[in-house]
Amino acid sequence: METYILTIILAETLILFIITLVLFYSLHKISQLKKHEEGLIEEKNKQKDFVPMLVHELRAPLSVIHGASDLLLKEVRNLTAEQIETLLSQIRASSSSMLKMVGDILDVSKMDIGKFEVNITYSNINNVLQEECGYFQSLAKIKGISLDLQVDNNISNSSFDPERIKQVLNNLLSNALKFTPEGGRILVLSKRIGQEIHIEVVDSGNGVPNSEKNLLFQKFSQIKGNNHSKERGTGLGLYISKGIIEAHGGHIWVEDNKPNGAKFVFTLPLL
Amino acid sequence: MPKKILFVEDDDNFYNVFSVPLKMKGYDVVHVADGSAAMEKVISEKPDLVLLDIILPGTSGLDILKEIKENQDTKNTKVVMLTNFGNDENINKAMEYGADDYLMKYNVVPSELPEKIGIYLGDTSGSGVKVTE
């Protein structure tokens, strides 16, 4: 009799346990679905904001191109050679900025449908870093920011897409320049750690708040450095950078740079 | 003595293009890119007119406008907003704070800019039109 009662109690406990488990699993699933739904709504909202933002971002260089060409047509006889050169330079700079925006949108659309590919060649990452940093050094100088490069000479040639890695560096260095105040410092480092190359872009700006670190590499995300800052862009640069690095089998993330600033790190496998 | 314009604009490309016709017209153009340094420049340079963008690093153009118009020493300085943000909220605020005009960047070509702001400098019959999006 006692064995019978014990068996019933055990069976009831087991049933109760299973019911609890099923309930817990269902609640977990519902919560997951809710989160997924919230994510979809958030994504939709971001996409809705994207078009007016893109229109605004395209208008700025377009105003310059339209204005400079109009001035050249109307006033070419009255302009000095130096003024003509300035206007032509502005047309080139603004059209380059628009081309970059169009390229970014194309990259994102390829990433979204899984058609994004990298063109792997055998190159040395330190040469790529030197080239990109050389370009940004002149821009940093204008802003009164020092930009230094420290390379690890133990890094030999490896397999990666130099043009796409330049694109990642361009995004990271542009952000570092935007968010580093005059008199600040940007440091770019290459390190060999085991079978990986680590590239760090370290700045002395305001850094990235913890609440934004995970969101930063999502599509349309923006670094909220300064509420009034015009330096906003399309919010695609870091999302594309993540896509490029992951297409190489690497990782990208952001850390705090003590005592102030941000440290963006990406890895590439040494292949 | 040429009239002085303080051009508050953080987009160097835009400034480099749109300042050309102003200089050609003989205006003395002073440039400041940082919003937080703009008010200091208004006080030290005593411009006849301020061309003011809205989205600026440091301090927004609307805050600068409010400060200019509330300061006894600078309240008579003409201020023309020159921006790509044409929403009603910004336009209404700018007018409430005392902006003399509100121009949309994409609706103005550089060669027309001297005429558009000339009316506030007593030079030409500028448009004086408040442009909305």
Side-chain angles (χ1 to χ4, degrees):
Chain A
M1 185 66 181
E2 273 181 9
T3 317
Y4 177 69
I5 291 169
L6 207 66
T7 311
I8 290 176
I9 290 171
L10 265 172
E12 279 179 347
T13 313
L14 197 68
I15 290 166
L16 210 67
F17 179 72
I18 291 168
I19 290 171
T20 313
L21 213 65
V22 169
L23 265 173
F24 183 78
Y25 179 74
S26 305
L27 281 172
H28 178 67
K29 268 285 170 203
I30 290 168
S31 151
Q32 266 189 334
L33 281 170
K34 211 176 162 196
K35 271 186 189 166
H36 180 67
E37 196 183 338
E38 281 169 2
L40 284 175
I41 291 169
E42 197 185 337
E43 172 88 354
K44 212 174 170 184
N45 283 338
K46 279 183 178 176
Q47 279 184 3
K48 197 177 72 190
D49 295 340
F50 180 66
V51 176
M53 185 273 299
L54 186 67
V55 168
H56 179 258
E57 289 299 316
L58 286 169
R59 258 180 188 163
L62 265 176
S63 300
V64 173
I65 294 168
H66 181 238
S69 50
D70 183 77
L71 203 55
L72 281 165
L73 281 168
K74 287 178 183 164
E75 303 283 350
V76 71
R77 286 176 213 284
N78 303 319
L79 292 164
T80 63
E82 197 185 338
Q83 282 172 326
I84 291 172
E85 200 182 328
T86 302
L87 292 173
L88 289 171
S89 304
Q90 302 312 319
I91 291 174
R92 189 176 59 183
S94 299
S95 49
S96 298
S97 135
M98 286 183 73
L99 275 173
K100 187 186 174 297
M101 264 185 248
V102 172
D104 281 357
I105 294 163
L106 196 65
D107 283 346
V108 168
S109 65
K110 281 184 187 168
M111 282 172 185
D112 285 349
I113 55 167
K115 296 275 183 193
F116 182 76
E117 285 174 1
V118 286
N119 183 21
I120 304 287
T121 57
Y122 202 56
S123 315
N124 194 304
I125 190 77
N126 288 340
N127 294 343
V128 174
L129 289 174
Q130 264 152 10
E131 200 179 314
E132 273 306 291
C133 287
Y135 169 72
F136 275 92
Q137 259 156 355
S138 53
L139 298 177
K141 202 176 168 187
I142 295 167
K143 275 193 82 177
I145 295 166
S146 72
L147 196 165
D148 299 303
L149 170 65
Q150 288 175 14
V151 297
D152 181 346
N153 290 319
N154 292 319
I155 298 173
S156 51
N157 280 14
S158 59
S159 300
F160 63 92
D161 182 337
E163 290 311 310
R164 288 298 186 177
I165 295 303
K166 273 185 204 169
Q167 191 179 342
V168 174
L169 287 165
N170 200 293
N171 280 328
L172 297 182
L173 284 166
S174 299
N175 281 342
L177 266 185
K178 282 175 197 170
F179 295 103
T180 303
E182 194 179 338
R185 188 183 186 204
I186 298 169
L187 182 61
V188 180
L189 298 113
S190 69
K191 294 174 185 171
R192 183 183 170 155
I193 300 177
Q195 282 308 300
E196 279 182 339
I197 299 168
H198 281 230
I199 306 297
E200 297 179 3
V201 177
V202 190
D203 67 59
S204 61
N206 289 332
V208 180
N210 282 334
S211 57
E212 288 182 38
K213 283 196 177 91
N214 288 334
L215 306 170
L216 213 54
F217 295 93
Q218 289 181 10
K219 214 186 318 183
F220 313 126
S221 74
Q222 304 277 353
I223 300 173
K224 295 184 184 72
N226 181 331
N227 288 336
H228 304 304
S229 179
K230 184 172 282 172
E231 312 283 14
R232 290 174 304 167
T234 53
L236 298 176
L238 289 174
Y239 174 76
I240 293 168
S241 298
K242 185 172 183 275
I244 292 172
I245 296 303
E246 287 178 352
H248 282 83
H251 301 283
I252 186 166
W253 68 91
V254 61
E255 297 174 8
D256 288 328
N257 172 43
K258 306 283 180 193
N260 60 314
K263 182 199 281 186
F264 283 84
V265 188
F266 69 84
T267 65
L268 291 171
L270 257 175
L271 298 170
Chain B
M1 203 169 136
K3 287 189 175 140
K4 193 183 276 185
I5 295 169
L6 180 68
F7 206 142
V8 189
E9 172 60 65
D10 67 331
D11 181 345
D12 286 345
N13 294 334
F14 187 85
Y15 169 75
N16 287 337
V17 172
F18 281 73
S19 61
V20 170
L22 299 174
K23 288 175 185 168
M24 285 170 77
K25 282 274 174 189
Y27 292 120
D28 178 8
V29 185
V30 179
H31 179 216
V32 60
D34 187 350
S36 51
M39 195 57 203
E40 203 179 296
K41 281 274 183 195
V42 175
I43 292 166
S44 65
E45 296 285 342
K46 297 184 177 56
D48 298 287
L49 184 141
V50 179
L51 266 176
L52 189 55
D53 194 8
I54 287 188
I55 308 293
L56 292 161
T59 310
S60 87
L62 288 172
D63 289 339
I64 298 164
L65 166 69
K66 194 166 183 269
E67 219 178 322
I68 293 171
K69 295 295 183 182
E70 281 178 356
N71 186 314
Q72 286 304 311
D73 296 332
T74 59
K75 67 177 184 185
N76 293 324
T77 309
K78 301 289 181 191
V79 181
V80 174
M81 309 306 290
L82 185 56
T83 174
N84 261 335
F85 280 96
N87 58 322
D88 289 346
E89 195 189 338
N90 281 340
I91 295 170
N92 292 340
K93 252 190 183 166
M95 293 305 144
E96 182 195 324
Y97 293 162
D100 294 277
D101 207 341
Y102 196 105
L103 304 175
M104 299 300 301
K105 284 178 176 177
Y106 58 86
N107 275 349
V108 181
V109 284
S111 54
E112 292 170 356
L113 190 58
E115 191 195 337
K116 283 194 185 286
I117 64 169
I119 190 172
Y120 306 106
L121 294 163
D123 291 340
T124 65
S125 55
S127 72
V129 175
K130 313 281 189 289
V131 183
T132 53
E133 201 166 30

